[in-house]
């Protein structure tokens, strides 16, 4: 059964990237034992109560309310990097088990736990310099991009609470084939895929704007 393996919230720390605009970061997240309230962020920018965001221009907001990463993908990275990776170490709010995040459809909705929480897949994660500096890995942005396993951002459709071991059930699947992985490749490595993003209603506003601008520039 797909489930939430751990719920992770930020341990605020100084940003390890000396060139970062924000002097603090919330990328360093740790599992918590208690249930955590989740709601649409609005001006607070963060979906999980008690979480924190450093650079609010680039992170958070309704289309990036909750970030998820699969434990299976973390395990693959552990083997490739030859180092332990704890839940939350990629900055994810929810570490999942039994969910193929890369092949999740944009607009797919998840019912999480039993307290009414309903989430919708909205976008892949794009790696940033803070992510690379936090892991202290050279060429990490390129390595992460080439692997094509970005994890997924979700928006909050119905608020509720989440805790470790909550079940995840697919409440709705849209009638298209645009996945998290396809969107990631379209932005990062395969711009010829960008036209497929234009008609996906649930795609994040930022990525819709990006796709339109890139395609318009190609036509000029």
């Amino acid at each position: 059964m797909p489930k939430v393996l751990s719920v992770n919230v930020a341990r605020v720390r100084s940003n390890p990237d000396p060139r970062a605009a924000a002097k603090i970061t919330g990328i360093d997240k740790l599992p918590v034992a208690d249930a955590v309230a989740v709601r649409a962020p609005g001006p607070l920018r963060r979906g999980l109560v008690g979480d924190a965001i450093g650079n609010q221009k680039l992170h958070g907001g309704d289309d990036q309310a909750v970030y998820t990463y699969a434990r299976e993908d973390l395990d693959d990275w552990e083997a490739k990097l030859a180092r332990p990776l704890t839940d939350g170490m990629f900055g994810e709010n929810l570490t999942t088990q039994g969910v193929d995040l890369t092949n999740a459809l944009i607009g797919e909705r998840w019912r999480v736990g039993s307290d009414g929480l309903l989430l919708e897949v909205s976008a892949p994660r794009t790696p940033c310099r803070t992510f690379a500096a936090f892991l202290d890995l050279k060429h990490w942005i390129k390595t992460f991009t080439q692997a094509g396993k970005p994890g997924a951002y979700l928006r909050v459709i119905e608020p509720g609470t989440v805790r470790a071991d909550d079940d995840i059930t697919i409440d709705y699947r849209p009638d298209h084939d645009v996945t998290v992985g396809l969107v990631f490749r379209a932005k990062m490595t395969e711009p010829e895929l960008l036209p497929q993003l234009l008609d996906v209603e649930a795609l994040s506003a930022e990525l819709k704007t990006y796709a339109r601008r890139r395609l318009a520039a190609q036509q000029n």
Side-chain angles (χ1 to χ4, degrees), residues 182 185-197 214-215 218:
L182 186 148
R185 298 197 315 274
K187 181 176 182 183
M188 303 299 292
T189 60
E190 301 176 43
E192 64 272 17
L193 297 175
L194 286 171
Q196 298 184 48
L197 311 189
R214 281 291 305 269
L215 290 169
Q218 291 174 12

Side-chain angles (χ1 to χ4, degrees), residues 46-90:
R46 57 190 186 274
L48 273 69
V49 173
D51 197 24
I53 295 171
N55 189 336
Q56 296 193 4
K57 290 183 178 180
L58 298 179
H59 303 294
D62 289 338
D63 286 344
Q64 298 182 11
V66 179
Y67 177 51
T68 58
Y69 206 79
R71 185 63 241 182
E72 294 87 346
D73 291 337
L74 284 172
D75 290 342
D76 286 344
W77 282 118
E78 276 194 339
K80 290 176 181 177
L81 300 174
R83 62 185 285 186
L85 295 171
T86 58
D87 293 351
M89 200 166 178
F90 273 27

Side-chain angles (χ1 to χ4, degrees), residues 62-141:
D62 289 338
D63 286 344
Q64 298 182 11
V66 179
Y67 177 51
T68 58
Y69 206 79
R71 185 63 241 182
E72 294 87 346
D73 291 337
L74 284 172
D75 290 342
D76 286 344
W77 282 118
E78 276 194 339
K80 290 176 181 177
L81 300 174
R83 62 185 285 186
L85 295 171
T86 58
D87 293 351
M89 200 166 178
F90 273 27
E92 76 272 17
N93 298 114
L94 306 181
T95 308
T96 63
Q97 186 175 67
V99 182
D100 185 354
L101 294 178
T102 304
N103 287 309
L105 296 173
I106 301 296
E108 186 174 296
R109 292 186 174 185
W110 303 355
R111 184 68 66 178
V112 182
S114 57
D115 190 37
L117 183 60
L118 184 65
L119 303 175
E120 182 178 76
V121 178
S122 59
R125 185 248 196 92
T126 301
C128 63
R129 289 200 308 264
T130 297
F131 187 24
F134 172 59
L135 293 178
D136 193 23
L137 291 170
K138 292 182 179 180
H139 312 299
W140 175 242
I141 291 177

